[in-house]
Amino acid sequence: MNFKGRDVISIKDFSKEEILHVLDVAEKMLPIAEGRKKSEMLRGSIMSSLFFEPSTRTRLSFEAAMKRLGGDVIGFARPGTTSIQKGETMADTIRTAESYCDVIVMRHPHEGSARMAAEFATVPIINGGDGAGHHPTQCLLDLFTIQREKGSIEGNRVALLGDLKYGRTVHSLSYALSLFGVDMVFIAPPELQMPHEVVEECEELGAHISTATTLEGLEDIDVLYVTRIQKERFPDPEEYNRVAGIYRIDAHTLSEAKEGMIVMHPLPRVNEISPDVDRTPHAAYFRQAFNGVPVRMALLSLVLGATA
Amino acid sequence: MKELKIQPIKDGTVIDHITPGKALTVLKILGTTGEEGDSVISVAINVSGKSGKKDIVKIENRELDPKEVDKIALVAPNATINIIRNYEVAEKHRVSVPDEIIGIVECSNPNCISNTNEPVETKFIVKSRHPLRIRCYYCEREPEDIPSHIR
């Protein structure tokens, strides 16, 4: 399986076997990601980190991943400090950056930006989020988290909770989980239910889907994936408060959960998960955030043709 | 005695078998308003043909190029293009929706990268021809009302 030179734009560009290969490589990266083992695997390679939009975890974990493997990082975290401020196009920024590096990681507010960047660049483009479009590395780290926490991806019942309509994370994740034949429950208020075409696509791939508007049957859930409900989607603030309150998860809510049930969240969270959940063994979201490092190390090493 | 509804032309293009009611949209797609030149344009709507009703457009002294033909296929997939030279049909071909539609349709997603000042042409992948479904190569959105997004 050769990933050298390949772009990472959407999880839909990956087969199930390719996903499993990335997760295998990520597993091997764990001692390096944790700092227990040193590596010079990507020594002499440079990653451009081009963040046209704010990010905490994606940018930091990509930069950590590159540096843990002995590589170097150049780039920007705010376009305000670059010639984009003077009206330079993204295409010209990409063509310039690629002449300085071996791989580009980018986040951009417009959907399709990473796909377009890949047309201009000869070095691999890794999409760190394109507007409401794709965020494939988040999806891969979510799958890696489920595999590590639960032993496998298959055989779990996964509940996706919150903003299922606009959340790019849950669209990609439900697609990927469908490749593994996972049973899913989509829990959202009627206004924020999973788009019809996403449900259809999952079912076509063989997933068993059920939908709900309230969090019930927690005792049958193995993975509870919580997303932030975005206040700006609601025309009436009262309506938002009502809905946001319904889905607040606290330690009491989890008293009915299975012992090994995990709570995941792509972060940032606002108030959908109470801090008292952090102290329970269910809380997997900070381990999930860490998993971004080994997964991104795996992707960087694969697209740059380095071997573990 | 048969009445000839559309007179033959000496030189130009006859677009036949247009989906009934779409002739004016075809003219819009071609950017033909009548103000851009002095060629005579004839339009026939809901003409009875061998296989039901159809529209016909005749444009004198103008031969359509392939890119324009592709545009027409988006609203009139069964249309035929007849290039007329000296009253004879010099070329005849049926329009066909290509596998990719480049630079013709605008993306319906205002936040798509193809709707910014980036130096790219819009690009759509044809998902199905009957019914016509296209998907933006960049943001993957499918426009519902394709004719209204033709440039």
Side-chain angles (χ1 to χ4, degrees), chain B residues 43-116:
Chain B
V43 177
I45 297 173
N46 290 333
V47 178
S48 292
K50 282 178 191 163
S51 50
K53 290 188 188 305
K54 63 177 183 178
D55 288 5
I56 303 169
V57 167
K58 264 191 339 178
I59 305 169
E60 291 187 37
N61 301 319
R62 178 174 168 191
E63 295 187 8
L64 294 181
D65 71 33
K67 197 165 182 179
E68 287 173 311
V69 174
D70 286 347
K71 288 186 189 181
I72 293 166
L74 295 174
V75 294
N78 298 317
T80 54
I81 308 292
N82 302 275
I83 304 297
I84 311 294
R85 291 176 195 139
N86 200 23
Y87 297 106
E88 298 288 331
V89 178
E91 291 172 32
K92 179 169 185 159
H93 48 264
R94 192 168 171 164
V95 299
S96 63
V97 178
D99 294 338
E100 290 185 351
I101 297 165
I102 296 170
I104 297 171
V105 180
E106 282 178 347
C107 185
S108 60
N109 174 8
N111 204 42
C112 176
I113 194 73
S114 69
N115 282 326
T116 64

Side-chain angles (χ1 to χ4, degrees), chain A residues 89-91 95 108-113 115-116 119-120 134, chain B residues 109-113 116-120 123 137-140:
Chain A
T89 60
M90 186 193 81
R95 283 187 282 215
H108 193 278
H110 286 288
E111 285 97 79
S113 50
R115 187 79 70 192
M116 195 202 87
E119 292 196 330
F120 287 97
H134 297 288
Chain B
N109 174 8
N111 204 42
C112 176
I113 194 73
T116 64
N117 65 341
E118 297 295 337
V120 284
K123 184 169 163 182
Y137 172 75
Y138 296 106
C139 78
E140 300 181 4

